[in-house]
Amino acid sequence: MAGRPQGVTWRVTGSGGFETAWTEVSGTVLRARGRVVGTVPEPYWMTYELETGGDYVTRRLFVSADTASGDSRSLDLRREEDGRWTANGSPLPDVTGAEDCDLGLSPLTNAMPVLRHGLHTRPGEHDFLMAWVSVPDLTVTPSPQTYTHLETTDHGARVRFTSEDFTADLELDPDGLVVTYPGLAFRSHGPGTELASEQHRHWQETYRTEPDPYGPQPSEPAVHAAITFRKAGARTVLELGAGHGRDALYLARAGFDVTAADFSAAALERLREHAEAEGLAERVETVEHDVRRPLPFPDTSVDAVHAHMLLSMALSTEEIRALVDEIARVLRPGGVLVYTVRHTGDAHYGKGTSHGDSVHEHDGFAVHFFDRELVDSLAQGWDLREVHPFEEGTLPRRLWRVTQTRRPGPDVAP
């Protein structure tokens, strides 16, 4: 962020909109200008300019907002050197002594207290008084807040934000800017970033804010898979895209030894909690893994693979083919793969934001829709047992449940 302007865009789930900011740091002075579009609590758009003095202490925040009802308002919020604040020239004695402004529903203004105390790089806990700006009415009120460094990560840090009875664990990048703010916002993809990274952040936020989004009951494909795996004599099952574990736990209850893989650490943490509570910890092993990389398992090491909706995530056709090849590698000869995908007869196909290659995004979730040609091509070299159409959910989603068996290789006797 230092030395040149940096553009960043967040999808703001808390407002049902977006925010784009251009930020620049010179020494310990932060300057930013931003554009915001939101739909909650009413449709609005907003612009702002932020300037701090040294040590990232707010000097001025200017905001203008327009709502769908025709209201237009602006706020010129200033902090003097002695700690006194004014709003459009009127004193704000309730926030005297505060060093930071906090623009409501904006992840940008979390940066100042973090940067001042280095909470994105080292341990610490600090209490603050903020001049909090409500959006879109632009009223200013005092807000006591606490920031606590939790850990540094390979991609930045996690910092806990607390205000009264509200708590959120923020994921920050190395520059101290928010990547994910559970329940409020997450960094959107754009030039220089990839859809895969955005989807990872989106699923992390989903599982942190709603730990059991699909409930405790197994999916219909998992029930079918358990019957099919048992008939095939399977004992070990690999579930790809296990999420919070409703299917993995069902398969473990059915007597299988399950390895549950997912790229969301938050989901796997929830899965382990469930397994421990049900006395299934010895039957369920978790592995944090992104299926765009080779599977971290030896050749012919598992009897069966279950993947409900995993192949329909934000994967390119090339990545899907590579994944199916990897599944064939880790399956024993005669091993069974049961997977489900949304197909091109689904109501969402061709709608929403298109990312090409039959990938369409709705409400932050990107889905790769399958046609029958792709299903058949993925079964080349396998025995394709069944392509079963079914519906799920209230839309309803339209899916195929595909069952196929790995053929013995040329060096494996049938």
Side-chain angles (χ1 to χ4, degrees):
M1 184 165 61
R4 60 184 176 85
Q6 172 181 327
V8 59
T9 296
W10 292 276
R11 186 187 298 273
V12 186
T13 54
S15 70
F18 293 87
E19 174 179 348
T20 295
W22 290 265
T23 64
E24 183 177 3
V25 170
S26 177
T28 60
V29 173
L30 169 66
R31 295 181 179 87
R33 54 193 177 93
R35 303 291 185 270
V36 178
V37 176
T39 59
V40 176
E42 62 177 314
Y44 66 90
W45 61 78
M46 190 169 70
T47 63
Y48 65 80
E49 294 183 5
L50 170 69
E51 180 183 357
T52 78
D55 212 17
Y56 306 104
V57 175
T58 297
R59 177 175 292 167
R60 181 184 186 224
L61 173 69
F62 181 80
V63 190
S64 62
D66 294 271
T67 67
S69 59
D71 291 334
S72 296
R73 55 182 65 89
S74 63
L75 170 68
D76 187 355
L77 180 66
R78 296 177 182 247
R79 181 187 184 276
E80 304 299 330
E81 291 289 339
D82 61 6
R84 291 180 295 117
W85 292 75
T86 59
N88 297 330
S90 299
L92 293 171
D94 289 347
V95 296
T96 297
E99 293 186 312
D100 302 291
C101 65
D102 182 4
L103 182 60
L105 299 174
S106 169
L108 173 70
T109 48
N110 295 101
M112 288 97 79
V114 167
L115 291 171
R116 183 181 313 117
H117 295 281
L119 293 173
H120 59 312
T121 60
R122 59 180 181 266
E125 178 174 294
H126 298 273
D127 297 325
F128 302 94
L129 176 65
M130 303 289 184
W132 184 74
V133 180
S134 178
V135 171
D137 58 276
L138 306 186
T139 58
V140 183
T141 56
S143 173
Q145 300 176 5
T146 302
Y147 285 73
T148 307
H149 174 96
L150 298 179
E151 63 175 343
T152 55
T153 68
D154 292 340
H155 307 291
R158 291 177 62 236
V159 170
R160 177 162 295 164
F161 167 84
T162 304
S163 180
E164 297 180 344
D165 58 353
F166 175 80
T167 297
D169 292 346
L170 314 182
E171 293 184 10
L172 308 177
D173 69 13
D175 291 325
L177 291 177
V178 167
V179 175
T180 302
Y181 188 137
L184 179 83
F186 63 92
R187 192 82 62 87
S188 181
H189 74 281
T193 63
E194 296 183 358
L195 179 61
S197 299
E198 178 193 355
Q199 287 296 291
H200 179 257
R201 290 190 290 268
H202 190 65
W203 280 104
Q204 282 281 82
E205 179 184 5
T206 296
Y207 282 115
R208 283 175 177 158
T209 57
E210 191 179 356
D212 299 313
Y214 302 108
Q217 298 302 315
S219 67
E220 179 275 333
V223 176
H224 164 82
I227 296 170
T228 303
F229 296 164
R230 191 175 292 110
K231 288 180 179 178
R235 299 179 63 182
T236 59
V237 175
L238 168 63
E239 184 185 3
L240 300 174
H244 67 286
R246 61 172 180 154
D247 286 354
L249 295 170
Y250 172 77
L251 292 167
R253 291 187 215 106
F256 298 100
D257 292 325
V258 180
T259 300
D262 201 280
F263 71 169
S264 170
L268 293 178
E269 180 180 359
R270 184 64 171 165
L271 194 162
R272 288 190 293 270
E273 291 173 356
H274 283 310
E276 187 70 33
E278 293 190 35
L280 296 170
E282 292 186 359
R283 282 201 174 275
V284 179
E285 178 185 0
T286 61
V287 175
E288 185 177 345
H289 181 72
D290 188 327
V291 295
R292 295 169 184 83
R293 302 193 304 272
L295 295 175
F297 309 107
D299 295 356
T300 65
S301 59
V302 297
D303 298 332
V305 174
H306 173 57
H308 181 34
M309 283 288 291
L310 185 277
L311 274 69
S312 243
M313 294 295 100
L315 301 170
S316 68
T317 300
E318 181 180 350
E319 289 168 335
I320 292 168
R321 294 188 189 282
L323 173 57
V324 172
D325 287 345
E326 275 293 284
I327 292 172
R329 178 184 66 78
V330 303
L331 268 177
R332 64 168 174 78
V336 184
L337 165 63
V338 174
Y339 72 87
T340 64
V341 290
R342 291 172 75 174
H343 59 67
T344 51
D346 187 275
H348 277 163
Y349 175 66
K351 299 180 175 64
T353 301
S354 173
H355 295 284
D357 198 16
S358 293
V359 177
H360 298 271
E361 183 179 347
H362 298 264
D363 297 326
F365 295 97
V367 175
H368 192 128
F369 293 88
F370 278 48
D371 57 23
R372 182 56 193 261
E373 182 181 357
L374 179 55
V375 170
D376 290 340
S377 70
L378 293 175
Q380 292 179 9
W382 298 69
D383 288 328
L384 181 59
R385 303 296 188 184
E386 180 188 44
V387 180
H388 172 71
F390 71 103
E391 295 183 348
E392 184 180 74
T394 57
L395 182 61
R397 295 184 293 271
R398 294 182 176 177
L399 302 97
W400 282 320
R401 187 190 68 212
V402 182
T403 305
Q404 58 192 55
T405 304
R406 183 194 162 188
R407 294 173 183 168
D411 299 327
V412 180

